[in-house]
Amino acid sequence: MAKLLVLTVLGLGLGLIRDYRSSYRTRLNAAREVIPVELLNCHLVKGIDTGSEDLEILPNGLTFISSGLKYPGIKSFELNKPGKILLMDLNEEDPAALDLKITGSNFDLTSFNPHGISTFTDEDNTVYLLVVNHPDFKSTVELFKFQKEEKSLLHLKTIKHELLPNLNDLVAMGPEQFYATNDHYFADSYLRSWEMYLGLAWSYVVYYSPNDVRVVADRFDFANGINISPDGKYVYISELLAHKIHVYEKHANWTLTPLKWLTFNTLVDNLSVDPVTGDVWVGCHPNGMKIFFYDAEDPPASEVIQIQNILTDEPKVTQVYADNGTVLQGSTVASVYKGKLLIGTVFHKALYCEL
């Protein structure tokens, strides 16, 4: 009887492990292969070789790009060098990315590890750049003031809070006010790995201001990109491992009410919103297994989707670009400016195309 009980328990345990492994592979979309979708007149951006994880295009075409991210479990081609913020001018004939100088006596450049970024422009046209930073694999938000003439960033403040332990992306509501995604619940690396493997869906979104910090949305399986509609009424959140983009209504007291979600056959990463049309552009990972388990002989693919009329009952979803990793590996973000498309990656290059 005792042996039978032990065998039964072992059988149940092995069955659960198989179930979780199957679910894990499904959530990572491990079986998907990509059929390329090409665009005309594409070229790799000069000056970007170690990632362009997130980008933000100002109305005048100046573009901030975060580069050099080191993230647990993700490939990095420059592990021993700090990250940086790059600047491009998309009005130029052949725009290249240049390093932005960072000034400020209290900012440690040696541990700079930028992730998601967002800008806020105040009434006197001062541009603030908010950057998710992972110094020593912790999480902070760094506040910078953009100095256009000097082509530099002045560091103003570092923001930390217990409700911001695993930051991924943010969308600025003011110089010191934002919504941000935490892509895990646990800060401990061992617990994070089990949280992800088991699909606990405990990650969440926080509203932050100097006087008010609170969770405004939760129960995500890896909350990732976040952005806001041009009229400021709706917040969009990507749930990477559930392959979903959620639409929330934003209220005057900064709370969020869920309205709906869209499901895709790809892992949705960062979200960009066209300020004119309201279209949502998404950098995606067709096969997440190739992102988290990098193989240079079989590199991760890239994919860009465009969502038109996202607030209607029948949004239109278009696969605009896809590559099997031959040209671009691990796309995380895509944004448009005057008929051009700029695509960033987590650790690889960036691509600039005509639409």
Side-chain angles (χ1 to χ4, degrees):
M1 181 66 73
K3 288 182 180 179
L4 180 60
L5 180 60
V6 170
L7 288 173
T8 301
V9 171
L10 285 174
L12 289 172
L14 290 172
L16 284 171
I17 290 171
R18 282 195 297 268
D19 289 344
Y20 280 123
R21 183 181 294 129
S22 174
S23 170
Y24 184 62
R25 288 181 59 82
T26 299
R27 289 159 55 234
L28 286 176
N29 229 18
R32 187 177 170 201
E33 297 294 336
V34 169
I35 299 173
V37 176
E38 297 181 356
L39 290 171
L40 298 176
N41 195 17
C42 290
H43 62 268
L44 295 170
V45 178
K46 298 172 185 174
I48 299 180
D49 294 299
T50 58
S52 43
E53 202 282 335
D54 201 9
L55 60 91
E56 186 91 352
I57 303 175
L58 297 177
N60 61 7
L62 288 178
T63 303
F64 300 103
I65 301 170
S66 65
S67 182
L69 173 66
K70 287 85 178 168
Y71 186 93
I74 300 292
K75 177 71 175 176
S76 172
F77 288 116
E78 280 193 338
L79 270 175
N80 298 319
K81 291 186 178 181
K84 52 195 174 184
I85 301 295
L86 308 175
L87 183 70
M88 286 180 66
D89 185 349
L90 300 186
N91 296 297
E92 295 177 354
E93 181 88 16
D94 185 18
L98 305 173
D99 292 12
L100 270 176
K101 181 181 178 182
I102 296 177
T103 61
S105 58
N106 295 321
F107 184 65
D108 180 13
L109 279 170
T110 62
S111 64
F112 190 38
N113 188 10
H115 200 165
I117 63 175
S118 184
T119 59
F120 180 81
T121 305
D122 67 14
E123 294 178 353
D124 67 357
N125 291 320
T126 299
V127 175
Y128 297 93
L129 180 70
L130 285 76
V131 180
V132 170
N133 184 24
H134 300 296
D136 303 316
F137 296 105
K138 297 180 174 61
S139 284
T140 64
V141 172
E142 309 298 342
L143 175 61
F144 299 97
K145 177 182 177 181
F146 177 50
Q147 301 181 119
K148 184 178 179 181
E149 298 303 320
E150 297 89 345
K151 285 188 169 54
S152 67
L153 294 170
L154 174 62
H155 184 254
L156 301 178
K157 187 176 184 179
T158 295
I159 296 170
K160 302 178 184 179
H161 195 275
E162 61 183 8
L163 287 179
L164 305 173
N166 296 294
L167 291 173
N168 188 299
D169 195 18
L170 76 173
V171 57
M173 299 287 103
E176 297 183 53
Q177 186 180 15
F178 53 83
Y179 291 103
T181 58
N182 284 288
D183 56 29
H184 289 76
Y185 176 83
F186 294 109
D188 177 80
S189 59
Y190 179 74
L191 294 176
R192 279 167 55 104
S193 63
W194 275 107
E195 176 187 348
M196 182 172 163
Y197 180 72
L198 297 176
L200 296 181
W202 288 356
S203 70
Y204 54 95
V205 175
V206 170
Y207 167 74
Y208 178 92
S209 73
N211 301 313
D212 182 15
V213 188
R214 52 190 146 120
V215 176
V216 290
D218 57 9
R219 299 184 181 180
F220 295 105
D221 190 1
F222 204 114
N224 197 312
I226 187 167
N227 218 313
I228 194 164
S229 61
D231 60 10
K233 294 181 179 179
Y234 303 94
V235 171
Y236 310 130
I237 301 164
S238 65
E239 188 179 8
L240 185 81
L241 296 180
H243 315 163
K244 292 178 180 178
I245 293 176
H246 297 260
V247 179
Y248 284 77
E249 183 177 4
K250 181 175 74 68
H251 303 289
N253 63 356
W254 304 103
T255 58
L256 300 178
T257 300
L259 293 183
K260 66 173 184 177
W261 68 74
L262 285 69
T263 304
F264 307 88
N265 184 30
T266 192
L267 280 66
V268 284
D269 202 312
N270 289 324
L271 311 172
S272 298
V273 179
D274 188 317
V276 178
T277 65
D279 294 352
V280 179
W281 291 81
V282 193
C284 307
H285 307 289
N287 184 325
M289 189 67 76
K290 295 183 181 183
I291 277 288
F292 289 102
F293 301 92
Y294 182 79
D295 178 359
E297 299 299 318
D298 186 19
S302 293
E303 184 175 30
V304 173
I305 59 175
Q306 175 192 14
I307 309 169
Q308 296 169 286
N309 306 316
I310 190 171
L311 298 172
T312 67
D313 291 335
E314 296 184 3
K316 180 182 178 182
V317 179
T318 305
Q319 184 192 43
V320 176
Y321 176 82
D323 177 73
N324 60 12
T326 303
V327 177
L328 201 65
Q329 301 179 15
S331 56
T332 53
V333 64
S335 193
V336 293
Y337 178 76
K338 292 186 176 179
K340 302 290 181 68
L341 174 67
L342 182 59
I343 309 170
T345 66
V346 64
F347 56 76
H348 195 231
K349 300 178 183 291
L351 196 69
Y352 191 45
C353 301
E354 290 186 6
L355 291 172

